[in-house]
Amino acid sequence: MEHRIDQLIEHCHVASMSGPGYGAIEDAALAVRAGTIAWVGPRAQAPRFCADEVFDAGGGWITPGLVDCHTHLVYAGDRAHEFEMRLNGATYEEIARAGGGIVSTVAATRAASQAELLEASSGRLARMVDEGLTTVEVKSGYGLDVDNELKMLRVARELGHRHAVRTVTTLLGAHALAPEYAGRQDDYVSLVCERMVPEAAAAGLADAVDAFCETIAFSPSQCERVFEAARRAGLPVKLHADQLSNLGGAALAAHHRARSADHLEYTDEAGVAAMAAAGTVAVLLPGAFYFLREKQLPPVDALRRHGVPIALATDSNPGSSPLLSPLLAMNMGCTLFRLTPQEALAGFTVHAARALGLTGQVGTITAGAWADLALWDVERPAELAYAMGAAPLHARWFAGVRDGAAQDARN
Ligand SMILES: [Zn+2]
């Protein structure tokens, strides 16, 4: 019996990221039907397919399309000037007086129209898509008032219509204190809880709610208020936790059944154990660690021992991680945090999908998942985390549609 499919991909190896290691299938075949994976396995075991199109992958490796589960891609302005000032010896005070720091990004983002914000963010996302990205999480957090936070989330949604990429949006109203609330932090948290969270939820603009738990941001009890508001609105939570100090953020996130706790440099063993018990994913962000020249390493060994899934992300943002390369983030995860190349790839696929609540839909090459795929000109999957700036992407599929396939048909 012949199986009708849309596309048969052959002459490839597959790192399915399902099962032990890479879930590798050498000399594989992959069948796509209606945007999803209909069959994957060794070519010798493939059933007889009747395919509209057969694609020769040239002997490369196919992985799930990359999933970046933590970005701040939507913002206006840039901070290169501030970077240059700092390296010319300016102090933080001098930079702040010159209008630098997060307040400069907030001012530029508030001043930008939705169209301008979309244009700026779209260019950044295009770079990541060119590197095999097919799913991206995008946070708000530079508007810091109701209208501008919702504007950022609308832009994040719009990015998914403009690019062949899945976007998952996160409301991060509790990112920093809005300047007009100086000295009234609890009032600002009330604005987040009573207006931003319910309005973002009612408009269908937020898939999750995040907060920044840190001495320079919001206290654990303030973050807890945000989590309660998210629960009332029916939205899952996640947390920027323990990046610069240990405030017990990881344990707090776990207590609220957060999908992920992110950064985690200062998380202790008790925090890791709480995450393991709650099924909270650890999202490590080596780009910020690198850019801020941090010294405290996240507790990778404890995460492994407790079986906490480890995701990796770019944390792409103008202040602390102006990073647009998932592959470089994988390399940094290996060089700085001593992850293995297999862990780094799992961090940008299967575990990142879990951090976004998309297990089984993206992040693995398994029957029934979306056919979001990346084909690489590499001899082995470890090359993806090994090489810096190599750009080995050969082809990318989003929901079964290969980039450029429509143009090929016309030419
Ligand atoms: Zn972040």
Side-chain angles (χ1 to χ4, degrees), residues 32-72:
V32 176
R33 187 176 53 224
T36 61
I37 295 159
W39 190 89
V40 61
R43 192 171 53 93
Q45 293 171 20
R48 279 167 57 87
F49 289 116
C50 176
D52 291 345
E53 187 200 348
V54 177
F55 183 85
D56 182 336
W61 278 86
I62 297 179
T63 69
L66 301 182
V67 179
D68 193 340
C69 65
H70 182 138
T71 83
H72 307 252

Side-chain angles (χ1 to χ4, degrees), residues 69-201:
C69 65
H70 182 138
T71 83
H72 307 252
L73 267 184
V74 173
Y75 61 86
D78 85 275
R79 306 261 286 273
H81 176 57
E82 183 181 318
F83 180 68
E84 188 164 39
M85 279 181 78
R86 185 167 309 136
L87 286 164
N88 277 304
T91 64
Y92 278 93
E93 201 192 348
E94 284 165 337
I95 289 167
R97 243 186 293 122
I102 191 170
V103 291
S104 73
T105 302
V106 173
T109 302
R110 285 177 171 182
S113 70
Q114 195 171 313
E116 288 165 342
L117 210 45
L118 177 62
E119 211 47 51
S121 314
S122 193
R124 289 188 281 270
L125 180 56
R127 305 272 190 91
M128 303 178 88
V129 168
D130 284 348
E131 236 188 43
L133 188 85
T134 50
T135 298
V136 65
E137 186 255 17
V138 182
K139 300 176 196 297
S140 66
Y142 297 117
L144 309 185
D145 62 31
V146 176
D147 289 350
N148 283 299
E149 286 292 300
L150 297 189
K151 177 177 77 179
M152 287 187 71
L153 293 174
R154 276 193 292 273
V155 170
R157 283 270 192 256
E158 199 56 39
L159 284 172
H161 302 136
R162 187 183 275 212
H163 297 268
V165 71
R166 273 167 236 291
T167 58
V168 178
T169 61
T170 301
L171 174 71
L172 179 58
H175 189 199
L177 183 63
E180 59 276 15
Y181 278 82
R184 295 186 295 134
Q185 207 172 24
D186 281 323
D187 292 345
Y188 179 70
V189 174
S190 297
L191 176 76
V192 172
C193 296
E194 289 159 26
R195 298 264 333 263
M196 287 183 197
V197 172
E199 291 186 29

Side-chain angles (χ1 to χ4, degrees), residues 70 72 139 240 263 285 315:
H70 182 138
H72 307 252
K139 300 176 196 297
H240 284 68
H263 284 292
L285 305 168
D315 190 18

